Amino acid sequence: MLYRPVLFFVMSGAALAGVPPIISGGYSHTCALLNDQVKCWGANQTGQITPPTLNKPTALAAGVLHSCAIDADGVKCWGYNESGQTNVPKLVSPKTIAAGDRHTCALDAKGVTCWGKNDAGQTNVPKLVSPTAISAGIFHSCAIVSEGVKCWGSNRDGNLSIPKLSHPTAIVSGTAHTCVLDEGKVKCWGANGFGQTKVPKLDRPYFISAAGYHTCALDNKGLKCWGENTSGESTVPKLNSPKTVGLGNWHTCALDQDGIKCWGENKDGQCAGGS
């Protein structure tokens, strides 16, 4: 079923506190870390937009039907838990977090730990040397390590077939594709049924985000998105100096000088809440 693309302003005011802003989207919900607070909106059938009390949150990730944050006390997850994706294991000084379909991964002082659904080995973390960043799709997970990138889980769509990389510094995963920032370029691999791995011409990209079957990048000229556009999720509206972007399955949100703007599918209010 198709839905009319909708554009909304969901948070006004771009004054930022100490923690860099983060936007992350799930299947039909959105969460944002802005002004040192987490706020979520959209579908809430599993409690995915109802965060617990958070103590100075610093990181955020939304899965398909669950959400997670890192705060001063560690990692906290909420929402759908059929596969244990919100049952956080013991971690030591977690630094960053990634939420997939029904699994979650965290990078802490000891390395990478994943938990939740494991039907394709997506939580079976291999030996990693000096991991610095992580991502999670539906059936795969990835990390940037000293020798480049390592991915594990399903290779059905080529997610483990990593192209030649020079010096990757950021990594993101959609449903079945993965992209990295690599020496001023965006490189993607995996499923490409909607062109989500066909990177357009970019002018010095410095931030990337992926979800579902589309991908976005911030570069010197603004925001560009590519891949699936069934609900207008890749049709970027006029933005005023965008600062960050977060993607859901069929929607996209960006923070610019005027606040957070969202576009794409809105049947559950994933583009319309948060004010």
Side-chain angles (χ1 to χ4, degrees):
M1 186 173 182
L2 303 183
Y3 298 91
R4 182 183 300 277
V6 183
L7 170 65
F8 286 86
F9 289 78
V10 296
M11 284 187 183
S12 62
L16 304 179
V19 177
I22 300 171
I23 305 172
S24 186
Y27 185 83
S28 55
H29 76 289
T30 310
C31 291
L33 171 55
L34 187 63
N35 295 320
D36 296 338
Q37 294 184 341
V38 170
K39 195 167 189 179
C40 302
W41 57 93
N44 197 38
Q45 67 270 41
T46 64
Q48 64 266 46
I49 69 168
T50 309
T53 300
L54 298 172
N55 178 16
K56 298 179 181 179
T58 57
L60 173 70
V64 168
L65 291 171
H66 74 292
S67 307
C68 296
I70 297 176
D71 71 0
D73 303 318
V75 171
K76 296 176 182 177
C77 296
W78 58 96
Y80 195 49
N81 194 41
E82 183 183 59
S83 301
Q85 60 267 49
T86 69
N87 293 336
V88 182
K90 185 177 180 179
L91 301 168
V92 179
S93 300
K95 303 172 184 177
T96 189
I97 194 161
D101 180 4
R102 299 183 186 183
H103 77 289
T104 310
C105 295
L107 172 62
D108 72 356
K110 291 187 175 181
V112 175
T113 301
C114 297
W115 61 94
K117 193 170 185 179
N118 195 39
D119 52 339
Q122 60 267 49
T123 69
N124 292 338
V125 183
K127 183 178 179 180
L128 303 174
V129 179
S130 302
T132 58
I134 54 175
S135 68
I138 286 188
F139 300 114
H140 76 290
S141 308
C142 297
I144 294 178
V145 294
S146 60
E147 65 267 36
V149 168
K150 275 195 175 182
C151 296
W152 57 95
S154 173
N155 194 38
R156 182 179 61 187
D157 296 293
N159 285 297
L160 310 188
S161 302
I162 302 162
K164 185 177 180 179
L165 302 172
S166 299
H167 184 61
T169 55
I171 189 165
V172 294
S173 292
T175 294
H177 75 286
T178 301
C179 298
V180 297
L181 273 178
D182 185 40
E183 292 195 334
K185 297 181 180 179
V186 176
K187 297 179 181 179
C188 302
W189 63 94
N192 193 44
F194 293 93
Q196 61 266 44
T197 69
K198 291 184 178 179
V199 183
K201 185 177 180 180
L202 300 169
D203 182 7
R204 297 183 182 180
Y206 58 88
F207 187 88
I208 52 174
S209 185
Y213 302 98
H214 71 300
T215 312
C216 295
L218 283 167
D219 69 3
N220 285 343
K221 294 183 178 180
L223 177 64
K224 291 183 181 178
C225 298
W226 60 96
E228 187 174 15
N229 200 35
T230 302
S231 298
E233 61 267 38
S234 294
T235 303
V236 182
K238 185 177 180 180
L239 299 172
N240 181 10
S241 300
K243 301 175 182 296
T244 192
V245 61
L247 280 58
N249 267 42
W250 291 286
H251 70 287
T252 304
C253 296
L255 172 69
D256 71 1
Q257 294 282 10
D258 303 319
I260 293 182
K261 299 175 182 178
C262 297
W263 56 95
E265 183 181 285
N266 191 45
K267 69 184 183 69
D268 291 301
Q270 59 265 50
C271 287
S275 58

